[in-house]
Amino acid sequence: MVTLEDVAKQAGVSLATASRVLNGSTRQVGAALRARVEQAADELGYRANIAAQTLARGAGNVIGIVVHDLTDPYFAALADGAMRAAATEGLLVMVGTTHRDPEQEIAYVATLNAQRVRAVLLVGSRVADPAVTGRLRDELARYRSGGGRAACVGQDLLGVDTVAPANREGAAELARALAGLGHTRFAVLAGPPHLVTAADRCAGFAGALEDLGLPAPHVIHGPFDRDGGYAAAQQVGEDTTCVFAVNDVMAVGALAACRERGIRVPEDVSVAGFDDIVTLRDHVPALTTVRLPLKNMGARALELALGEEEAVVVEQVAGEVVLRESVRRLV
Amino acid sequence: MVTLEDVAKQAGVSLATASRVLNGSTRQVGAALRARVEQAADELGYRANIAAQTLARGAGNVIGIVVHDLTDPYFAALADGAMRAAATEGLLVMVGTTHRDPEQEIAYVATLNAQRVRAVLLVGSRVADPAVTGRLRDELARYRSGGGRAACVGQDLLGVDTVAPANREGAAELARALAGLGHTRFAVLAGPPHLVTAADRCAGFAGALEDLGLPAPHVIHGPFDRDGGYAAAQQVGEDTTCVFAVNDVMAVGALAACRERGIRVPEDVSVAGFDDIVTLRDHVPALTTVRLPLKNMGARALELALGEEEAVVVEQVAGEVVLRESVRRLV
C-alpha cells in the first residue's frame, strides 16, 4: 500500500505539505506545490484516507440532509443525488429523518448547527402551518448567522436557496394530457390537505380541468404513502375513468387495490402518479406519471448550499408528463 | 401554547428543574420532583421542545447509522427500524451512506466519533478483505475506548454486538422448498463474490442442492442491485427451470428481463429472491422470497448498542421462506 510518506518523498515535499494537499486541510498550499503533490499521488496510485481527512477538517467536511421518510423512494432518490454530489467534493453526508414531524425537522437543524456542519439541506414538502414554518426559519437563521449554509428542496418558504418542483404546473400538464385522451370523469387521491406538495398537485390538476370546462374531480384525502393510495382507491366511484394519485407510491397502492378488486388497469380505469420513481419503473402496468429529475434536484440543492452567491436563489424545476401503459385512450 | 414556565409553576418547581426533567438534561433530578414535573406537563399538554433537548444534551442525543446504499430498500427498512426505535427514546439519528466504499465506512465511524455521538450502528454486508475489516475494527475500537457504543447488522466480524441474518440457512431452506416443488435445474444470480452476504446466500443454496443430490446450480456473478439482476438474468440458460436471485431487488431486475424477452414467470421459469422487501410486495407476479424482519433487526441492533451488557452479544435472525406466485410446481 502506498503511504503518504511515499507521496511526499516522490514529490520532494514535507509530509505536512503532502498531508495538507491530500487530506484536504483548510491550510493553504501554493498551486505549484499542490500540483507536484497531486501528480506524485497520481503516479503512485495513492488513495487518500478519508478518515484522516475528516479528523483534519472536522465537521466542516460534513453536510446534513433532513428528509421526511427514508423508506419513501422519493426522498431516497433526492438524498442520494445530494450524497453523490457531496462525495465528488470529498464531503460526508449525514441524513436525518423526521417521520413527518415538523418538530423533528427543527431539532435536526439545531443538532446540525451544534455540530458545526458545513451545510444543511431540507428536503420535502412544507406544511401549511405558519407558526411551525416560522420556527424552522428562525432555527435556520440562527444556523446561518454562525456561518452555516442552507438550501431546501420544496416550497420557497424558508428564506434559503430553494429547488422548487413545479408541482401545480406539472399536475396541470398531466390533466391536459389525460383530458386529451378523452377522459372527463376524474378522481384525485389527494394526500393530506395540510401538506403543501400534495395540495399544490391537487389544485393544479383541478384547475386545469376547470380551465378545460370539465367537471371537478372527486377529491379523496388520505395519507401520502402506498397504504394511503390503497385506502383512497377504495372510495373511487364506478363512473370514474381516470385516477390521479398525487405521488407514485400512492399510485402503486391504488394499482394494488384495483388488482385485488378485479378492476383492470387501464381497461377498466386509468391510473396516473407523480414523480417517476426509478424503483417503481418495473411495475406492471407501467405507470403514467410526471417525471421530476430527483437526483439532479438533490445535487443542485447541494450546489446552491455550497455556492458563494449572496442573494437567495429560487429555481423552479419543471416536471415532464410520461404516458405509459397504466392509462388508455377513450375513443 | 403551553410553555416550560407554565409547567414549572404548576409543578411548584424552578424553571431549571422543569427543564432538566423535560429537556432530558443529564443532571439528576430526584424521583419525586421528576414525577411532579411530568404530571404537570401531562396535565397541561406540554410538548417538549426537541431542539432545546438537543442543545442541552449535545450529541449524546444522537445515534449514527452507516449503511451502504439508501436507495436500496433493504437498507432503508433497516435504518428506518432503528430510527423509529430511536425516536421512542427521544434520540435523533444521522445516517451516512458508503455507496459500498469501505473507506467511507471507516470515515463515518471517525466522523461520528469526533462528534461524540452516543452510539454507532453499521448496517450491511462485510467485504471479504481482512485488511479493510481490520482497519474498521480498529476505528470502532477507538470510538468505543472513548465511551462510544456500537453494534452492527451483518456478519459477526467487527467485535461488537451483532444482529446476524442467517443467510446460509435461509437460502438452504429456500433451495429445499424449491426442490420440493420439483425443480432440479437452477441458476443463481449470485451478486459479487467478495460481498459476504451474497456469497453466504449463494453457498447456502448450492450446499442444500448438493445435500439433496441435485446438480450444482449455474452461478452468475454481477452487481448486487436491480440492474445487476437484470443483466445476470440474460445469461440464464434455456434448460433452467428456477432462478434464485440472492436479493429481492436483483429478482425484480430478473423479472423485468424475463418480461422484455417474452419469458413468462412462473409458466416458463420460476424466480425467487431474498429479503421480502415491503415496497416490492406489490410487484406482479408476487415474489417468492426469504423474509427477514428488517425493521425489527434495525431496532434490535439499536437496543443492543444502547444496552448495558458488557459481553459482546451476537444474535442470529432466521429467515422464513415465503412461497408466492413467482414460482410454480413442476409436474
Side-chain angles (χ1 to χ4, degrees):
Chain A
M1 198 169 137
V2 180
T3 66
L4 193 61
E5 287 92 80
D6 300 331
V7 177
K9 207 163 156 189
Q10 165 115 350
V13 302
S14 71
L15 190 60
T17 299
S19 169
R20 269 172 220 139
V21 173
L22 296 173
N23 289 329
S25 153
T26 47
R27 289 192 45 194
Q28 291 297 313
V29 176
L33 271 186
R34 175 173 293 276
R36 251 163 64 196
V37 171
E38 285 174 348
Q39 193 189 337
D42 222 41
E43 283 168 13
L44 295 172
Y46 173 78
R47 172 101 205 248
N49 180 332
I50 311 176
Q53 291 182 6
T54 301
L55 293 176
R57 295 161 72 179
N61 205 16
V62 177
I63 304 294
I65 306 184
V66 185
V67 302
H68 292 329
D69 180 2
L70 272 184
T71 62
D72 181 333
Y74 175 82
F75 293 107
L78 281 162
D80 195 63
M83 283 175 155
R84 288 182 186 275
T88 67
E89 306 267 333
L91 300 167
L92 291 175
V93 175
M94 296 289 180
V95 181
T97 179
T98 68
H99 291 120
R100 300 202 175 278
D101 176 353
E103 295 297 330
Q104 292 269 355
E105 196 168 31
I106 297 167
Y108 273 113
V109 174
T111 301
L112 291 164
N113 185 7
Q115 295 178 344
R116 320 306 294 164
V117 301
R118 177 139 151 219
V120 170
L121 304 187
L122 299 180
V123 173
S125 178
R126 297 294 105 221
V127 292
D129 179 337
V132 162
T133 304
R135 285 172 51 227
L136 180 57
R137 277 181 81 109
D138 293 348
E139 197 65 56
L140 278 172
R142 236 187 317 275
Y143 168 60
R144 292 167 74 210
S145 71
R149 314 297 308 252
C152 80
V153 177
Q155 291 79 34
D156 171 29
L157 293 172
L158 298 177
V160 300
D161 293 341
T162 298
V163 175
N167 288 313
R168 276 175 185 266
E169 296 75 3
E173 189 87 26
L174 178 66
R176 288 188 288 268
L178 296 169
L181 295 176
H183 292 279
T184 55
R185 294 189 309 278
F186 293 94
V188 180
L189 314 187
H194 66 271
L195 206 64
V196 181
T197 295
D200 281 353
R201 292 177 181 180
C202 183
F205 194 86
L209 295 182
E210 191 179 351
D211 291 346
L212 290 167
L214 291 175
H218 176 201
V219 173
I220 304 160
H221 289 290
F224 201 46
D225 54 19
R226 183 267 179 204
D227 290 347
Y230 179 89
Q234 318 282 346
Q235 299 174 50
V236 170
E238 290 210 350
D239 61 337
T240 298
T241 67
C242 187
V243 174
F244 167 46
V246 294
N247 71 19
D248 279 359
V249 292
M250 292 177 66
V252 165
L255 290 178
C258 289
R259 200 160 50 237
E260 284 180 19
R261 295 163 73 198
I263 298 169
R264 295 165 306 160
V265 176
E267 293 82 354
D268 301 327
V269 69
S270 293
V271 174
F274 201 115
D275 291 332
D276 199 28
I277 300 293
V278 171
T279 50
L280 302 180
R281 284 193 198 151
D282 289 319
H283 265 273
V284 179
L287 196 60
T288 288
T289 190
V290 180
R291 175 181 297 163
L292 288 176
L294 298 175
K295 292 217 172 192
N296 293 348
M297 289 164 65
R300 180 64 184 145
L302 180 73
E303 198 174 53
L304 288 174
L306 297 180
E308 295 301 321
E309 188 70 53
E310 277 290 323
V312 170
V313 176
V314 177
E315 292 186 355
Q316 292 277 328
V317 178
E320 179 198 351
V321 172
V322 184
L323 294 174
R324 299 204 188 95
E325 351 159 317
S326 69
V327 304
R328 75 176 184 107
R329 179 178 288 281
L330 291 186
V331 288
Chain B
M1 197 169 139
V2 180
T3 66
L4 193 60
E5 287 91 79
D6 300 332
V7 177
K9 208 163 158 189
Q10 165 115 349
V13 303
S14 71
L15 189 60
T17 298
S19 169
R20 268 173 221 138
V21 173
L22 295 172
N23 290 329
S25 154
T26 46
R27 291 194 42 196
Q28 292 295 315
V29 176
L33 271 186
R34 175 174 292 277
R36 252 162 64 196
V37 172
E38 284 172 349
Q39 191 188 337
D42 222 40
E43 283 168 14
L44 296 171
Y46 173 78
R47 171 102 204 246
N49 180 333
I50 311 176
Q53 291 184 5
T54 300
L55 293 175
R57 295 162 72 180
N61 205 16
V62 176
I63 303 294
I65 306 184
V66 184
V67 302
H68 291 329
D69 181 0
L70 271 184
T71 63
D72 181 333
Y74 174 82
F75 294 107
L78 282 162
D80 196 62
M83 284 175 155
R84 287 181 187 276
T88 67
E89 306 268 333
L91 301 167
L92 291 176
V93 175
M94 297 288 180
V95 181
T97 179
T98 68
H99 292 119
R100 301 202 175 277
D101 177 352
E103 296 296 330
Q104 292 268 355
E105 196 168 32
I106 297 167
Y108 273 112
V109 174
T111 301
L112 292 163
N113 186 6
Q115 296 178 345
R116 320 305 294 163
V117 302
R118 177 139 150 220
V120 170
L121 304 187
L122 299 181
V123 174
S125 178
R126 299 295 104 222
V127 292
D129 179 337
V132 162
T133 304
R135 287 172 48 227
L136 180 57
R137 277 181 83 109
D138 293 348
E139 198 64 56
L140 278 172
R142 235 188 315 276
Y143 168 61
R144 293 167 75 211
S145 71
R149 315 295 309 250
C152 79
V153 177
Q155 292 79 34
D156 171 29
L157 293 171
L158 298 177
V160 300
D161 292 342
T162 299
V163 175
N167 288 313
R168 277 175 185 267
E169 296 75 4
E173 190 88 25
L174 178 66
R176 288 188 288 269
L178 296 170
L181 295 175
H183 292 278
T184 55
R185 296 188 308 279
F186 292 94
V188 180
L189 313 187
H194 66 273
L195 207 64
V196 181
T197 296
D200 281 353
R201 291 176 182 181
C202 183
F205 195 86
L209 295 182
E210 191 179 352
D211 290 346
L212 290 167
L214 292 174
H218 176 200
V219 174
I220 304 162
H221 289 290
F224 201 47
D225 54 19
R226 183 268 180 205
D227 291 347
Y230 179 88
Q234 317 282 345
Q235 298 173 51
V236 170
E238 291 210 350
D239 61 337
T240 298
T241 66
C242 186
V243 174
F244 167 47
V246 295
N247 72 19
D248 278 359
V249 292
M250 291 178 67
V252 165
L255 290 177
C258 289
R259 200 160 52 238
E260 284 180 18
R261 295 162 72 197
I263 298 168
R264 295 165 306 162
V265 177
E267 293 82 352
D268 302 326
V269 69
S270 293
V271 174
F274 201 114
D275 291 332
D276 199 28
I277 300 293
V278 172
T279 51
L280 301 181
R281 284 192 199 153
D282 289 319
H283 266 273
V284 179
L287 196 59
T288 288
T289 189
V290 180
R291 176 179 296 163
L292 288 176
L294 296 175
K295 293 215 173 195
N296 293 349
M297 289 163 65
R300 180 63 184 145
L302 180 74
E303 200 175 51
L304 287 174
L306 297 180
E308 296 301 322
E309 187 70 53
E310 277 291 322
V312 170
V313 177
V314 177
E315 292 186 356
Q316 293 277 328
V317 178
E320 177 199 352
V321 173
V322 184
L323 293 175
R324 299 204 188 95
E325 13 168 293
S326 69
V327 303
R328 75 177 182 106
R329 180 177 290 280
L330 290 187
V331 294

